[in-house]
């Protein structure tokens, strides 16, 4: 998808904001925000985004933001864990201005290290409380639902598990797959830990070790189901919908099953965005976060090919997705997802 903007209108708006600044001699502008909701504050210069989100999605956001504001954005790509560890290691010397993730635990790690600035209230106001941490140190920018994809030729509807916890039972031995080394799956375990406690999480992981088949990557696990190697796989929803929107060759034999009923398997993982405390251009960093959670940024999710859920600025999800309200996801404070404890428990269970 390509976002089209009226270039002349954007230039005129920028000029108006600049005149307002010159008149009052202040950084603040009383002019209304641009249509993309980048910021009511004039911003300029450059920012660096440490990006663990999909590179194509973030590039769409960056291109639209730069067109709107003129701010140059450099993207450093990596995984959730890789980049969160890097920010923690860099500390007050980090060159990052913004950190974007696919899942919440990496955001919580940086927050717990005291390396995020508070997110502007105007940005937080765009995001419903259930899609951001209670602390306000970062915010949700998108979401993805946990789903069990399965082969209907091998599992009849009456044999589907009523809960994700059932996958640890003996009758599921050798029948399901997952990618335990990935941040996606570890976020699901983090939600289980928060919802059911350490003893229940440890017991489930023990049963998982006995029952599941390991694959590297959610898409690989789904392909294994499609190829008949395994009956089902616990992944995120967008792998299925993304493949269906292309050729469907890796999902033609696959059906998604949503656990619902506030089950841990109905966990809705919040992708995060935060302004790094060491930012040398905090105004532009805050404006970027406001932009991607604003109407224009969220419509990138609604109309694009990432098939992640739009969660902010009252923008509906992609029409091909199950509406968020119908997912019946459990309530989880993203700030409480404990990646360190999850790593400890999964290592103890022999999954890492």
């Amino acid at each position: 998808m390509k976002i089209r903007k009226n270039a002349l209108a954007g230039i005129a708006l920028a000029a108006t904001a600049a005149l307002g600044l010159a008149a009052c001699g202040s950084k603040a502008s009383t002019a209304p925000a641009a249509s993309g909701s980048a910021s009511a504050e004039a911003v300029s210069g450059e920012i660096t985004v440490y990006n663990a989100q999909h590179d194509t999605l973030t590039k769409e956001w960056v291109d639209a933001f730069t067109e709107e504001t003129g701010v140059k954005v450099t993207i450093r790509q990596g995984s959730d864990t890789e980049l969160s560890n890097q920010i923690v290691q860099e500390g007050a010397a980090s060159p990052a201005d913004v950190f974007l993730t696919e899942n919440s635990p990496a955001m919580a790690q940086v927050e717990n290290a005291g390396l995020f600035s508070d997110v502007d209230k105007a940005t937080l106001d765009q995001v419903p409380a259930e899609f951001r941490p209670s602390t306000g140190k970062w915010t949700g920018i998108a979401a993805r639902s946990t789903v069990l994809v399965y082969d209907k030729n091998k599992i009849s509807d009456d044999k589907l598990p009523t809960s994700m916890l059932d996958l640890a039972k003996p009758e599921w031995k050798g029948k399901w797959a997952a990618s335990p080394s990935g941040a996606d799956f570890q976020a699901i375990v983090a939600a289980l830990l928060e919802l059911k406690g350490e003893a229940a999480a440890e017991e489930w992981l023990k049963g998982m070790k006995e029952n599941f088949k390991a694959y590297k990557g959610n898409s690989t696990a789904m392909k294994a189901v499609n190829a008949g190697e395994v009956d089902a796989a616990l992944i995120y929803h967008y792998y299925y919908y993304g493949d269906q929107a292309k050729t469907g060759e890796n999902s033609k034999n696959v059906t998604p099953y949503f656990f619902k009923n506030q089950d841990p398997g109905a966990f809705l993982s919040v992708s995060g965005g935060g302004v790094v405390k060491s930012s040398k251009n905090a105004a532009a960093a805050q404006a970027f976060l406001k932009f991607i959670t604003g109407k224009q940024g969220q419509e990138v999710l609604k109309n694009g090919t990432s098939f992640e859920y739009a969660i902010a600025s009252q923008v509906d999800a992609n029409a091909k997705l199950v509406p968020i309200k119908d997912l019946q996801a459990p309530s989880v404070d993203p700030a409480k997802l404990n990646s360190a404890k999850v790593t400890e428990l999964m290592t103890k269970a022999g999954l890492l």
Side-chain angles (χ1 to χ4, degrees):
M1 177 192 74
K2 218 169 175 182
I3 294 176
R4 296 178 176 85
K5 296 294 295 174
N6 187 318
L8 293 177
I11 293 169
L13 183 58
T16 300
L19 288 171
L21 288 172
C24 65
S26 167
K27 284 187 177 180
S29 167
T30 57
S35 60
S37 300
S39 181
E41 182 180 25
V43 292
S44 60
E46 304 179 7
I47 59 171
T48 296
V49 174
Y50 277 22
N51 182 53
Q53 250 295 349
H54 296 156
D55 54 355
T56 52
L57 172 59
T58 299
K59 188 176 187 305
E60 289 184 67
W61 277 333
V62 164
D63 289 348
F65 175 72
T66 298
E67 184 177 351
E68 184 82 24
T69 64
V71 173
K72 179 183 175 183
V73 180
T74 299
I75 300 174
R76 294 191 181 181
Q77 191 72 27
S79 70
D80 278 6
T81 304
E82 174 190 1
L83 292 179
S84 63
N85 285 338
Q86 184 172 342
I87 292 172
V88 170
Q89 289 168 2
E90 291 169 344
S94 178
D97 296 287
V98 174
F99 181 35
L100 303 182
T101 64
E102 293 188 337
N103 299 282
S104 298
M107 300 298 295
Q109 180 188 1
V110 175
E111 176 185 351
N112 292 338
L115 297 174
F116 279 138
S117 295
D118 290 339
V119 176
D120 285 350
K121 183 178 183 302
T123 300
L124 294 178
D125 287 347
Q126 296 183 145
V127 185
E130 62 264 35
F131 300 127
R132 52 182 167 85
S134 56
T135 58
K137 285 295 185 181
W138 50 277
T139 186
I141 58 173
R144 59 273 302 277
S145 176
T146 310
V147 63
L148 186 75
V149 292
Y150 70 102
D151 185 340
K152 266 197 164 183
N153 294 318
K154 293 189 173 184
I155 303 177
S156 59
D157 290 351
D158 63 326
K159 298 297 184 182
L160 286 166
T162 57
S163 168
M164 185 182 83
L165 301 181
D166 292 345
L167 296 175
K169 294 180 177 179
E171 58 264 34
W172 281 91
K173 186 175 180 64
K175 292 183 178 180
W176 67 284
S179 176
S181 62
D184 287 355
F185 189 82
Q186 290 172 29
I188 296 171
V189 177
L192 172 62
L193 175 64
E194 175 62 20
L195 289 165
K196 298 296 184 179
E198 184 173 339
E202 190 168 9
E203 184 66 20
W204 187 79
L205 291 171
K206 181 181 177 181
M208 173 185 170
K209 173 64 175 176
E210 292 296 318
N211 288 354
F212 94 121
K213 295 183 179 181
Y215 288 86
K216 189 167 181 61
N218 282 337
S219 59
T220 306
M222 183 179 72
K223 288 178 185 178
V225 178
N226 189 67
E229 295 175 16
V230 67
D231 296 358
L234 193 67
I235 63 173
Y236 281 150
H237 78 278
Y238 65 88
Y239 290 94
Y240 170 79
Y241 289 97
D243 189 71
Q244 285 284 298
K246 296 174 185 175
T247 64
E249 63 182 321
N250 297 313
S251 59
K252 61 184 178 181
N253 301 320
V254 167
T255 301
Y257 171 64
F258 295 85
F259 288 97
K260 301 185 178 183
N261 300 312
Q262 288 75 51
D263 188 76
F267 170 58
L268 191 66
S269 182
V270 172
S271 301
V275 174
V276 182
K277 189 176 286 187
S278 60
S279 172
K280 300 298 190 295
N281 193 352
Q286 293 282 2
F288 179 70
L289 206 55
K290 186 178 181 185
F291 181 85
I292 66 175
T293 56
K295 187 173 185 293
Q296 185 177 335
Q298 292 294 290
E299 285 180 344
V300 169
L301 295 165
K302 177 182 179 180
N303 302 320
T305 57
S306 71
F307 292 100
E308 294 189 57
Y309 280 97
I311 58 172
S313 296
Q314 299 182 326
V315 174
D316 293 333
N318 188 299
K320 293 183 178 180
L321 302 181
V322 176
I324 283 183
K325 64 180 178 60
D326 294 340
L327 296 174
Q328 300 174 13
S331 178
V332 180
D333 183 349
K336 294 182 179 179
L337 297 181
N338 190 335
S339 59
K341 190 64 179 179
V342 165
T343 300
E344 176 189 325
L345 292 177
M346 291 185 70
T347 301
K348 182 179 179 181
L351 295 165
L352 295 177

